């Protein structure tokens, strides 16, 4: 009798253990998965300031993540905008770190620097960072070496100079307007000045500590230069309307570095597509989410652009745009 009971207990144990193994196997393999078991990915995004170019980058980031499989139901984006306030950059960076995001994205150099100061552990992806090494964000573009990698947008300085020569051949002195608080702007001006002087131009530098000094600096500059060039600079971009209004009487050709600025009153530019830049940033973030290590992931560089010409502005300035320049342009604003 005892043996029969023992056999019955053993049989029940065998059934229970077998069932448990089968259940476990189904959950790991081809069995149906519960939707509640799926982890929602959290991505923290810090944008430095509101501007059409940076807004396009943010849109591109979301599109890039979606292309890599992170649709709206699979991802939670924790978005913050510092609106050009450096104190907000620091506060928001700490907040995004404490919000337990899986990866952090900084749109523009100050944002990436703020995130870098807030954490040395969480992965950070740079978006629209012109000089990552000069900004002390990475040690090397090929092997970043820390918790940061991303995408760099290099100003196509050589192409810009070729466009200046084609549209305004009588220009001899170029004024470079930029923010003294942005490291990436200083690097661009150095490169532009070197190439411009090699091409026979004289470049005068005009830096401003904030948007409050743009109007007064423009009043001085327009009397001393033949044309104005602006690098990829978030401070100047956020107050470009002031640049345009300050140039109303002087009527100097302005060569900015973003499509939105050409649309707002610049003459022409050679620009890197900001949406494409954002898509690449989003895809880089997806790569990190899937296991890639920032320290081993090379920084992707965008340094080729298409020209954008404001034909209406050219007419107001009395400039006839050559037909070949119009045909070659990526965009012509009528």
């Amino acid at each position: 009798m005892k043996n029969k009971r023992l056999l019955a207990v053993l049989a029940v144990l065998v059934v229970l253990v077998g069932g448990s193994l089968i259940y476990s196997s189904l959950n790991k393999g081809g069995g149906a998965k519960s939707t509640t078991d799926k982890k929602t990915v959290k991505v923290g995004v810090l944008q430095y300031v509101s501007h059409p170019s940076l807004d396009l980058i943010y849109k591109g980031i979301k599109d890039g993540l979606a292309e890599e499989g992170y649709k709206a139901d699979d991802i939670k984006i924790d978005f913050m905008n510092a609106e050009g306030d450096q104190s907000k950059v620091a506060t928001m960076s700490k907040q995004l770190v404490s919000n337990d995001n899986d990866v952090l994205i900084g749109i523009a150099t100050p944002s990436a620097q703020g995130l870098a100061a807030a954490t040395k552990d969480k992965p950070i992806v740079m978006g629209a960072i012109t000089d990552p090494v000069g900004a002390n964000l990475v040690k090397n573009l090929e092997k970043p070496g820390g918790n940061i990698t991303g995408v760099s947008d290099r100003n196509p300085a050589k192409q810009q100079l070729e466009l200046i020569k084609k549209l305004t051949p009588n220009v001899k002195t170029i004024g470079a307007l930029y923010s003294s608080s942005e490291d990436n702007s200083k690097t661009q001006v150095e490169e532009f000045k070197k190439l411009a002087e090699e091409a026979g131009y004289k470049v005068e530098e005009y830096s401003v500590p904030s948007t409050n000094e743009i109007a007064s600096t423009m009043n001085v500059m327009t009397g001393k230069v033949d044309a104005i060039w602006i690098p990829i600079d978030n401070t100047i971009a956020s107050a470009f309307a002031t640049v345009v209004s300050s140039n109303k009487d002087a009527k100097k050709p302005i060569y900015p570095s973003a499509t939105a600025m050409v649309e707002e009153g610049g003459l022409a530019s050679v620009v890197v597509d900001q949406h494409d830049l954002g898509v690449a940033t989003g895809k880089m973030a997806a790569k990190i989410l899937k296991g890639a290590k920032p320290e081993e992931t090379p920084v992707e560089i965008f340094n080729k652009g298409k020209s954008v010409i404001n034909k209406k502005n050219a007419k107001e300035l009395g400039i006839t745009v050559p037909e070949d320049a119009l045909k070659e342009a990526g965009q012509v604003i009528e």
Side-chain angles (χ1 to χ4, degrees), residues 174-247:
I174 303 171
L177 177 66
Y178 66 102
S179 168
S180 57
S181 63
E182 296 193 33
D183 295 330
N184 65 313
S185 297
K186 297 173 188 176
T187 303
Q188 292 174 79
V189 171
E190 287 173 6
E191 181 188 12
F192 180 83
K193 187 173 183 177
K194 180 177 180 293
L195 291 171
E197 289 177 347
E198 288 174 358
Y201 293 103
K202 181 181 179 182
V203 176
E204 296 285 353
E205 295 183 34
Y206 293 87
S207 64
V208 294
S210 70
T211 57
N212 296 327
E213 289 76 24
I214 290 177
S216 58
T217 301
M218 281 289 296
N219 289 336
V220 173
M221 178 170 59
T222 51
K224 297 182 178 181
V225 303
D226 303 315
I228 300 164
W229 173 78
I230 300 170
I232 299 169
D233 186 299
N234 301 295
T235 301
I236 304 299
S238 67
F240 189 64
T242 303
V243 176
V244 174
S245 61
S246 301
N247 186 51

Side-chain angles (χ1 to χ4, degrees), residues 1 37 39 43 45 67 78 94 97 132 174 203 226 280-281 302 304 330:
M1 191 72 176
D37 292 339
K39 183 179 181 290
V43 177
V45 180
E67 286 181 24
D78 188 1
K94 291 175 183 176
V97 171
I174 303 171
V203 176
D226 303 315
T281 305
F302 279 64
K304 295 291 183 183

Side-chain angles (χ1 to χ4, degrees), residues 19-90:
S20 176
L21 289 171
I22 292 169
Y23 178 79
S24 176
S25 176
L26 286 172
N27 273 332
K28 287 181 182 178
K33 293 183 181 180
S34 171
T35 54
T36 57
D37 292 339
K38 193 170 185 178
K39 183 179 181 290
T40 300
V41 169
K42 294 177 68 178
V43 177
V45 180
L46 178 59
Q47 183 170 316
Y48 180 58
V49 68
S50 293
H51 185 267
S53 296
L54 299 189
D55 295 342
L56 269 176
I57 291 172
Y58 178 49
K59 182 182 183 304
I61 287 170
K62 291 187 287 185
D63 291 342
L65 284 164
E67 286 181 24
E68 291 300 311
Y70 294 100
K71 310 290 184 182
D73 294 337
D74 310 319
I75 190 169
K76 180 181 178 183
I77 296 181
D78 188 1
F79 177 78
M80 295 187 183
N81 190 329
E83 296 296 358
D85 188 329
Q86 198 60 47
S87 63
K88 285 185 179 179
V89 169

Side-chain angles (χ1 to χ4, degrees), residues 6 12 21-22 68 82 86 126 134-135 157-158 163 172 186 219 256 277 291 299 325:
L6 181 61
V12 170
L21 289 171
I22 292 169
E68 291 300 311
Q86 198 60 47
M126 308 175 293
K158 190 174 180 181
L163 188 63
K172 292 177 181 166
K186 297 173 188 176
N219 289 336
L277 190 69
V299 174

Side-chain angles (χ1 to χ4, degrees), residues 280-330:
T281 305
K283 289 188 174 184
M284 182 77 77
K287 186 184 291 186
I288 300 302
L289 287 168
K290 292 174 182 178
K293 296 179 179 179
E295 64 266 30
E296 298 173 359
T297 306
V299 174
E300 188 174 349
I301 298 172
F302 279 64
N303 60 0
K304 295 291 183 183
K306 285 280 189 180
S307 61
V308 179
I309 299 172
N310 189 327
K311 200 174 177 182
K312 180 183 176 183
N313 183 252
K315 187 177 180 180
E316 291 172 355
L317 296 173
I319 295 171
T320 302
V321 181
E323 282 300 319
D324 62 331
L326 292 172
K327 288 178 181 178
E328 293 169 3

